[in-house]
mmCIF file of all heavy atoms in Angstrom:
data_model
loop_
_atom_site.group_PDB
_atom_site.id
_atom_site.type_symbol
_atom_site.label_atom_id
_atom_site.label_comp_id
_atom_site.label_asym_id
_atom_site.label_seq_id
_atom_site.Cartn_x
_atom_site.Cartn_y
_atom_site.Cartn_z
ATOM 1 N N SER G 71 0.280 -43.621 -47.622
ATOM 2 C CA SER G 71 -0.377 -44.929 -47.689
ATOM 3 C C SER G 71 0.629 -46.056 -47.599
ATOM 4 O O SER G 71 1.806 -45.883 -47.926
ATOM 5 C CB SER G 71 -1.158 -45.066 -49.006
ATOM 6 O OG SER G 71 -2.234 -44.162 -49.057
ATOM 7 N N ALA G 72 0.145 -47.198 -47.157
ATOM 8 C CA ALA G 72 0.990 -48.389 -47.049
ATOM 9 C C ALA G 72 0.191 -49.604 -47.487
ATOM 10 O O ALA G 72 -1.049 -49.551 -47.555
ATOM 11 C CB ALA G 72 1.474 -48.565 -45.613
ATOM 12 N N SER G 73 0.892 -50.667 -47.789
ATOM 13 C CA SER G 73 0.231 -51.901 -48.201
ATOM 14 C C SER G 73 0.932 -53.111 -47.625
ATOM 15 O O SER G 73 2.154 -53.108 -47.453
ATOM 16 C CB SER G 73 0.228 -52.031 -49.729
ATOM 17 O OG SER G 73 -0.615 -51.095 -50.335
ATOM 18 N N LEU G 74 0.133 -54.125 -47.344
ATOM 19 C CA LEU G 74 0.639 -55.431 -46.952
ATOM 20 C C LEU G 74 0.279 -56.391 -48.072
ATOM 21 O O LEU G 74 -0.877 -56.423 -48.495
ATOM 22 C CB LEU G 74 0.001 -55.895 -45.651
ATOM 23 C CG LEU G 74 0.303 -57.332 -45.213
ATOM 24 C CD1 LEU G 74 1.759 -57.452 -44.755
ATOM 25 C CD2 LEU G 74 -0.644 -57.788 -44.102
ATOM 26 N N ALA G 75 1.258 -57.124 -48.567
ATOM 27 C CA ALA G 75 1.003 -58.108 -49.606
ATOM 28 C C ALA G 75 1.278 -59.502 -49.069
ATOM 29 O O ALA G 75 2.250 -59.714 -48.335
ATOM 30 C CB ALA G 75 1.872 -57.840 -50.833
ATOM 31 N N ILE G 76 0.397 -60.425 -49.398
ATOM 32 C CA ILE G 76 0.570 -61.828 -49.029
ATOM 33 C C ILE G 76 0.529 -62.630 -50.317
ATOM 34 O O ILE G 76 -0.487 -62.633 -51.031
ATOM 35 C CB ILE G 76 -0.536 -62.311 -48.075
ATOM 36 C CG1 ILE G 76 -0.683 -61.351 -46.891
ATOM 37 C CG2 ILE G 76 -0.238 -63.724 -47.589
ATOM 38 C CD1 ILE G 76 -1.891 -61.651 -46.003
ATOM 39 N N SER G 77 1.636 -63.292 -50.629
ATOM 40 C CA SER G 77 1.679 -64.116 -51.826
ATOM 41 C C SER G 77 1.566 -65.592 -51.440
ATOM 42 O O SER G 77 1.794 -65.956 -50.281
ATOM 43 C CB SER G 77 2.984 -63.869 -52.592
ATOM 44 O OG SER G 77 4.085 -64.193 -51.770
ATOM 45 N N GLY G 78 1.202 -66.415 -52.415
ATOM 46 C CA GLY G 78 1.045 -67.843 -52.127
ATOM 47 C C GLY G 78 0.090 -68.073 -50.972
ATOM 48 O O GLY G 78 0.394 -68.805 -50.036
ATOM 49 N N LEU G 79 -1.081 -67.445 -51.040
ATOM 50 C CA LEU G 79 -2.052 -67.465 -49.937
ATOM 51 C C LEU G 79 -2.315 -68.885 -49.444
ATOM 52 O O LEU G 79 -2.476 -69.820 -50.239
ATOM 53 C CB LEU G 79 -3.341 -66.814 -50.417
ATOM 54 C CG LEU G 79 -4.333 -66.333 -49.361
ATOM 55 C CD1 LEU G 79 -3.723 -65.262 -48.487
ATOM 56 C CD2 LEU G 79 -5.604 -65.818 -50.046
ATOM 57 N N GLN G 80 -2.341 -69.027 -48.118
ATOM 58 C CA GLN G 80 -2.612 -70.326 -47.489
ATOM 59 C C GLN G 80 -3.807 -70.191 -46.553
ATOM 60 O O GLN G 80 -4.109 -69.094 -46.070
ATOM 61 C CB GLN G 80 -1.380 -70.802 -46.724
ATOM 62 C CG GLN G 80 -0.149 -70.987 -47.590
ATOM 63 C CD GLN G 80 1.069 -71.437 -46.801
ATOM 64 O OE1 GLN G 80 1.011 -71.678 -45.596
ATOM 65 N NE2 GLN G 80 2.205 -71.559 -47.496
ATOM 66 N N SER G 81 -4.442 -71.304 -46.269
ATOM 67 C CA SER G 81 -5.638 -71.284 -45.410
ATOM 68 C C SER G 81 -5.317 -70.713 -44.026
ATOM 69 O O SER G 81 -6.157 -70.044 -43.423
ATOM 70 C CB SER G 81 -6.225 -72.693 -45.291
ATOM 71 O OG SER G 81 -5.263 -73.599 -44.769
ATOM 72 N N GLU G 82 -4.115 -70.965 -43.547
ATOM 73 C CA GLU G 82 -3.756 -70.462 -42.211
ATOM 74 C C GLU G 82 -3.512 -68.954 -42.174
ATOM 75 O O GLU G 82 -3.276 -68.395 -41.103
ATOM 76 C CB GLU G 82 -2.525 -71.194 -41.664
ATOM 77 C CG GLU G 82 -1.312 -71.130 -42.561
ATOM 78 C CD GLU G 82 -1.136 -72.405 -43.353
ATOM 79 O OE1 GLU G 82 -2.154 -72.963 -43.842
ATOM 80 O OE2 GLU G 82 0.023 -72.844 -43.501
ATOM 81 N N ASP G 83 -3.567 -68.301 -43.333
ATOM 82 C CA ASP G 83 -3.439 -66.844 -43.377
ATOM 83 C C ASP G 83 -4.767 -66.156 -43.072
ATOM 84 O O ASP G 83 -4.810 -64.928 -42.953
ATOM 85 C CB ASP G 83 -2.954 -66.391 -44.764
ATOM 86 C CG ASP G 83 -1.574 -66.925 -45.100
ATOM 87 O OD1 ASP G 83 -0.782 -67.181 -44.166
ATOM 88 O OD2 ASP G 83 -1.288 -67.090 -46.302
ATOM 89 N N GLU G 84 -5.820 -66.944 -42.946
ATOM 90 C CA GLU G 84 -7.136 -66.361 -42.640
ATOM 91 C C GLU G 84 -7.089 -65.776 -41.233
ATOM 92 O O GLU G 84 -6.932 -66.487 -40.238
ATOM 93 C CB GLU G 84 -8.226 -67.432 -42.755
ATOM 94 C CG GLU G 84 -9.633 -66.865 -42.702
ATOM 95 C CD GLU G 84 -10.658 -67.827 -43.278
ATOM 96 O OE1 GLU G 84 -10.752 -67.958 -44.510
ATOM 97 O OE2 GLU G 84 -11.379 -68.446 -42.464
ATOM 98 N N ALA G 85 -7.210 -64.454 -41.159
ATOM 99 C CA ALA G 85 -7.022 -63.732 -39.903
ATOM 100 C C ALA G 85 -7.410 -62.281 -40.111
ATOM 101 O O ALA G 85 -7.757 -61.861 -41.215
ATOM 102 C CB ALA G 85 -5.557 -63.810 -39.464
#
Side-chain angles (χ1 to χ4, degrees):
Chain G
S71 294
S73 290
L74 172 71
I76 309 172
S77 60
L79 198 62
Q80 300 179 3
S81 58
E82 56 259 41
D83 297 333
E84 190 161 284

